[in-house]
Amino acid sequence: MSYENQNENQYPSLVGRTAVVTGAASGIGEAVAVLLAASGARVALLARRGDRLEALVEKIRADGGEALAVVADVTDDASVAGAADGIREAYGNVDLVVNNAGVMLPNPVDNGRIDEWQRMLDTNVTGVLRVIRAFTGDLVGAAAEGRAADLVNVSSIGAHVTFPNYAVYGATKAAVTYLSQSLRTEFGPRDVRVTNVEPGLTETELATHLDNDELAGQLDGMFDAIGALSSAEIADVVAYATSRPRHVNLRQIMVLPTRQA
């Protein structure tokens, strides 16, 4: 995977920011962490796979960036709270949060896969809320001091477009999109920006979560027919949105491959 522009800072206003990126061990989270660090932010990388995080931190530091590996599980209250405490101890208060951790487990609803439904709800929805709870005070405090403060939630085109057998996944992402919209009424008046990013087909590890060969084949066919965005291209959108002047909120960004309807 390549990360364009990481040796040339296109977003100088991110210098000195303190960021948390969840789901940072791969895909969009990894790419966001790399680009934010290359832009001068201190980045706490939060995910479950410590070996992947440590390798990414080494890469970021070798390229001159500042990064911290934080092993945590967004489905566990104590894990998220402990991670937040550790990040503050290392970096101080946070002013940029990217809620990216998520899972995609499609199957027909009549398969009754409650295990998958619960995992998606707990990661994609409650996990997002746990992270927001952990860092709301930081974001509000940063904004009160006159600094930029950003909450970025990574949702999906699936929040709006229905796909057979993806009903529960789409419902979790619709919840994230609605949550982002509603949070603006609480955070916006306190100068905390909320940005909801909805990627279309993107090269990530999500497709590897599928345990249904037929659906996996259908997804591969969509990638072949339409083409996909890279994780680095989604990261560029996140960096652009969070680098705007603090009174400018790009509230809703849907980013698709050109061929995706």
Side-chain angles (χ1 to χ4, degrees), residues 32-255:
V32 168
V34 168
L35 184 53
L36 293 181
S39 300
R42 299 184 298 178
V43 185
L45 286 64
L46 194 154
R48 293 176 300 170
R49 291 177 289 179
D51 56 339
R52 294 286 295 269
L53 292 180
E54 292 292 352
L56 184 55
V57 165
E58 287 183 12
K59 171 182 172 53
I60 289 172
R61 290 175 177 171
D63 290 336
E66 190 171 355
L68 176 72
V70 183
V71 177
D73 183 349
V74 298
T75 69
D76 182 87
D77 290 348
S79 182
V80 173
D85 289 342
I87 291 166
R88 291 189 196 99
E89 183 177 349
Y91 283 166
N93 288 342
V94 169
D95 58 38
L96 200 170
V97 175
V98 181
N99 250 324
N100 168 74
V103 291
M104 182 176 74
L105 305 170
N107 263 312
V109 168
D110 53 9
N111 282 10
R113 292 293 300 273
I114 293 178
D115 58 328
E116 293 182 338
W117 304 344
Q118 189 60 55
R119 185 179 169 197
M120 284 189 284
L121 286 165
D122 207 22
T123 305
N124 299 358
V125 182
T126 313
V128 166
L129 288 167
R130 288 186 182 97
V131 173
I132 292 170
R133 179 178 66 177
F135 294 105
T136 290
D138 294 50
L139 295 175
V140 171
E145 293 171 0
R147 297 186 285 122
D150 288 279
L151 170 64
V152 179
N153 292 327
V154 179
S155 180
S156 168
I157 181 63
H160 304 283
V161 179
T162 58
F163 299 96
N165 306 310
Y166 287 77
V168 179
Y169 173 74
T172 66
K173 290 303 185 178
V176 172
T177 291
Y178 183 83
L179 176 66
S180 298
Q181 294 170 348
S182 296
L183 284 177
R184 289 187 198 98
T185 67
E186 298 184 37
F187 287 171
R190 291 181 284 177
D191 295 319
V192 177
R193 297 186 292 201
V194 181
T195 295
N196 193 65
V197 179
E198 296 176 336
L201 281 178
T202 306
E203 291 287 354
T204 72
E205 284 190 352
L206 285 182
T208 67
H209 299 162
L210 277 65
D211 67 357
N212 184 313
D213 291 340
E214 181 180 355
L215 292 181
Q218 291 175 1
L219 189 60
D220 288 342
M222 290 179 65
F223 276 97
D224 291 341
I226 295 173
L229 301 171
S230 70
S231 293
E233 287 162 339
I234 304 301
D236 188 55
V237 171
V238 172
Y240 180 82
T242 55
S243 64
R244 299 307 89 198
R246 66 188 295 263
H247 68 285
V248 178
N249 185 186
L250 298 179
R251 62 188 298 273
Q252 174 76 10
I253 304 174
M254 186 182 295
V255 53

